[in-house]
Amino acid sequence: ADRYWVGGPGNWRDAPNHWATVSGGAPGAGNLPTAADNAIFNASSNGSNAAYTVTVNATAVCNDLNFSAKPGNGLGGTITWAGNSTITISGSMTLLAGMTISTTGTIVFNATSTGKTINTNGVSIFSPTTLTFNGVGGEWTLLSNAAFVGSSGVTLTNGTLIVGAHTLQAKSFSSNNANS
């Protein structure tokens, strides 16, 4: 199912105030994204605010993580992973040009099927921790250059990462298994 961010800036796990089952709909306690739900940030997410602002201050999960443009501007907003929190993405990720992502937490891609994509649209992810790909049978294709800036590294534990003609920038890249 799809889950839509609504109600302006806030914390990811605050479902009663920030997650709805329809774009621009009413938030509800049972609407927090699960690994089977797509987390969508769109034109209705922040009302009159020019940017998305969400803080992941506890463990978060979703299937696809998708940011789309707000009509009339190119502002993307801010997403922050606070503390040692982890967001686990079981599908694809699309970021919006102009947004800012900084984290002291961990980003894990854990898909177990092929056809997943990562489109950073030129957004650098500032992180002192590791971005991990860990899905047996998972496959992720970069649709744009990806930069993980700071002391972060990229670890491919299980699955296939297809960089193609794009650039993957990180302090380190590690894969100790028979991955592609």
Side-chain angles (χ1 to χ4, degrees):
D2 290 337
R3 298 293 186 250
Y4 295 86
W5 181 264
V6 297
N11 294 323
W12 179 284
R13 295 194 57 82
D14 186 5
N17 294 305
H18 291 291
W19 290 106
T21 57
V22 296
S23 179
N31 295 339
L32 189 67
T34 68
D37 297 320
N38 299 318
I40 300 170
F41 296 78
N42 65 15
S44 298
S45 291
N46 279 2
S48 62
N49 291 334
Y52 310 113
T53 302
V54 59
T55 301
V56 179
N57 58 349
T59 299
V61 297
C62 64
N63 184 40
D64 291 346
L65 179 61
N66 186 339
F67 290 85
S68 60
K70 291 183 69 66
N73 68 50
L75 297 176
T78 302
I79 185 165
T80 302
W81 279 263
N84 291 322
S85 56
T86 298
I87 185 165
T88 301
I89 303 168
S90 298
S92 298
M93 180 177 76
T94 301
L95 302 180
L96 180 60
M99 68 186 303
T100 301
I101 295 183
S102 62
T103 176
T104 56
T106 303
I107 302 170
V108 176
F109 289 92
N110 71 345
T112 56
S113 60
T114 62
K116 307 307 178 194
T117 60
I118 298 172
N119 189 353
T120 65
N121 279 306
V123 173
S124 294
I125 298 175
F126 297 90
S127 171
T129 59
T130 301
L131 173 79
T132 301
F133 294 89
N134 189 11
V136 175
E139 176 190 85
W140 303 269
T141 301
L142 290 184
L143 299 180
S144 60
N145 293 338
F148 303 98
V149 180
S151 60
S152 64
V154 175
T155 300
L156 178 61
T157 305
N158 286 294
T160 300
L161 178 61
I162 301 170
V163 176
H166 301 290
T167 300
L168 174 65
Q169 176 187 345
K171 181 178 179 181
S172 65
F173 181 87
S174 173
S175 180
N176 294 325
N177 299 321
N179 301 308
S180 300

